[in-house]
Each structure stands twice: as structure tokens, then as C-alpha cells.
Amino acid sequence: MSRKPMTEYITTYTGRRIAPLDPKREDICLDDIAHALSLMTRANGHMPEFYSVGQHCIACAREAIARGHSPRVALAALVHDSSEAYISDITRPVKRQLDFYLEVEDRLQRMIYEFFLGSELSEAEFAQVDAIDNAMLYHEFLHYMKQELTPYKAEILTQPRFEVRPFAEVEQEFKELYTELHARLEAH
């Protein structure tokens, strides 16, 4: 474990010390990600009730499965927001203006994909995950905020659980779904 000054690292749920600006592959941990994402709110906390990033990721993975995407894409959909476990998130209008943040997020997320999938996503795989992410966002806002974010209706095949759930239940489901998808990926 590195001995960086406390201002250069975060301490994770499992006790790891990670320097988000200089992450190492061995820093990535499913338990840390599942725990943190189960406690982080979507929409910067502006939903009328608690709905976590972990719930969103589970819904995205289940949508990828329903669409018949490969186990690799379904697993990518599950971990697509995992960088937020280490650097949090910033609302889209602000994030677009923060080049340095986008670089850090991209580097960390690519490392996470490589860790869990063995390599980065192809353009086609990224497009599939991105389409699911945006469709789920549309339905989250339609359900919680009664807002349509786009003039077209983003179709989904699943019925996500838009309800307050105990974080430990979401954390466990995230890890179980990871295990299931990883096994399918290995068998594929």
C-alpha cells in the first residue's frame, strides 16, 4: 500500500487507500464499488425519494440482458458508473465543462472495464451501454420527476424497480449479478 499524503488518496469501504488521480489496477474492488454505489443517489439527490446509482446500474445490466446483448455488454452496463465509487459524480451540465474531471473519469472507468472485462469496450459495445444508460435515465426521470428528457420516448424492455430499497440489499444484488454475469462471460 502506498504511503501518499492523506490529501492524495481516499480510504474505501474495505480500507484500501486509492489515489483517484493515479489509480492502480489492484485498487479496484467489487466490494468497494457495490457498497459505494448502493449509497449514492441518482440525479445529485434531487429525486423525490432515494434511488441509488447501484439500483440504476442493476437496472441497466438487466436491460442489456433483456435486449439480448452479450454477457460482456451486460457486465459493462453493470459497472458503467463504477468510477463514481472513487470520484463521485457531477451533474451533466457542469461535467461537460470540466475537461480535467472528464479525463480522470475516463482513465478510471477504462481501468475498471479492463479489470472486470479484460479489455476496454469497443465502440459498438460502448454505444450499446450508452444507449441503455440514456434510456434508463429517461425512464428514471419520467417515473420520479414526471419529465421527458427527450422529445422521443426511449424504449426499454424491462420494468425497473423504482422504489426505495435498503442499501445492503442493493449492494448484495449488485455483487450477485456481477458473479452471474462474470460466469456467463467466462463460459461465452
Side-chain angles (χ1 to χ4, degrees), residues 50-101:
F50 186 82
Y51 181 72
S52 72
V53 175
Q55 288 171 268
H56 164 76
C57 291
I58 290 167
C60 287
R62 295 204 183 284
E63 180 66 19
I65 293 166
R67 291 182 182 196
H69 292 318
S70 70
R72 182 176 157 84
V73 169
L75 186 54
L78 181 66
V79 300
H80 79 278
D81 280 336
S82 292
S83 64
E84 294 177 23
Y86 302 106
I87 60 172
S88 201
D89 195 18
I90 297 174
T91 57
R92 286 184 179 198
V94 177
K95 186 190 289 191
R96 281 189 226 128
Q97 304 302 316
L98 302 175
D99 291 339
F100 179 70
Y101 176 89

Side-chain angles (χ1 to χ4, degrees), residues 114-166:
E114 287 176 13
F115 183 82
F116 289 119
L117 303 171
S119 64
E120 292 182 35
L121 297 181
S122 69
E123 284 185 37
E125 291 168 330
F126 181 82
Q128 290 173 323
V129 172
D130 193 48
I132 291 169
D133 186 28
N134 287 324
M136 204 56 64
L137 176 68
Y138 175 91
H139 284 276
E140 290 163 354
F141 267 75
L142 188 60
H143 175 83
Y144 285 111
M145 309 297 272
K146 311 300 183 234
Q147 290 181 5
E148 294 186 35
L149 296 180
T150 59
Y152 59 90
K153 182 175 181 183
E155 297 294 330
I156 57 174
L157 301 176
T158 56
Q159 294 185 342
R161 291 178 63 185
F162 294 136
E163 60 188 33
V164 176
R165 295 178 60 200

